[in-house]
Amino acid sequence: MTERETTRLVAWSQELRQVHQRLREALHLTRESLADGTPGESAARELLLYCHGFCTALDGHHRGEDRTLFPAIAAAHPELRPVLRALEQDHSMIDHLLSGLSAAVERAAPPEELDQHLEGIAAIMENHFRYEERQLLTVLEALELPAEPREVLGPL
């Protein structure tokens, strides 16, 4: 195996960590935008953009994992299928929470309600990311997956 191939293999674990960090930052910016409390139409538009961007990024990340990454891991490590099923269940729960947030943003819910949505998403998302990293990073360091990170981990 060449040094470039080794770098690419190890990069999957690094890519996952980086994506998780970018999603954490996007959620933080979304929550800051809400906490800013600037009244008026421009603040509502800004929050809508942050929420839409965050929701789209997180959903794309999970769809890429479900479609490409998890099947590759299951094929190489069948013993991890229960872990992958649990992660997919988290994806479904997070998708449900994101739908609730999007609906609340669309109907211009009060800031307190929006923050409750974001707090719930933050709690589940952080727990999910930590579990995923504990269970999969070692596997990802040796996973051979001939695909682009953006395709597998979502466009951010």
Side-chain angles (χ1 to χ4, degrees):
M1 182 177 309
T2 69
E3 183 180 337
R4 182 167 163 28
E5 289 170 330
T6 302
T7 302
R8 179 63 250 163
L9 293 174
V10 172
W12 282 112
S13 62
Q14 293 169 356
E15 290 284 344
L16 183 68
R17 279 192 195 127
Q18 290 172 359
V19 167
H20 285 176
Q21 188 55 40
R22 287 192 300 263
L23 287 166
R24 286 176 178 114
E25 290 167 6
L27 179 59
H28 178 73
L29 286 173
T30 302
R31 293 191 83 182
E32 272 188 352
S33 174
L34 179 62
D36 201 13
T38 309
E41 191 176 310
S42 66
R45 267 198 315 269
E46 186 176 309
L47 179 60
L48 184 61
L49 286 173
Y50 278 126
C51 286
H52 178 71
F54 168 73
C55 291
T56 300
L58 187 57
D59 182 61
H61 171 64
H62 288 160
R63 287 182 190 274
E65 286 181 334
D66 291 346
R67 181 182 57 246
T68 307
L69 186 62
F70 290 175
I73 292 171
H77 298 276
E79 73 280 6
L80 289 176
R81 286 190 176 145
V83 169
L84 299 172
R85 274 194 297 279
L87 291 169
E88 288 171 343
Q89 288 173 340
D90 284 354
H91 291 175
S92 179
M93 183 186 325
I94 291 169
D95 182 55
H96 176 74
L97 294 172
L98 291 174
S99 294
L101 172 62
S102 292
V105 168
E106 289 293 328
R107 65 177 163 73
E112 301 79 27
E113 181 183 337
L114 294 172
D115 191 53
Q116 287 177 344
H117 283 282
L118 291 169
E119 187 174 332
I121 290 167
I124 299 296
M125 185 184 86
E126 188 58 39
N127 186 55
H128 171 79
F129 285 174
R130 287 181 182 181
Y131 179 70
E132 187 172 61
E133 289 171 4
R134 273 193 322 270
Q135 297 296 319
L136 301 183
L137 284 182
T138 303
V139 169
L140 290 176
E141 288 176 0
L143 184 69
E144 293 189 41
L145 184 58
E148 290 298 314
R150 182 180 172 101
E151 172 189 319
V152 175
L153 298 174
L156 292 177

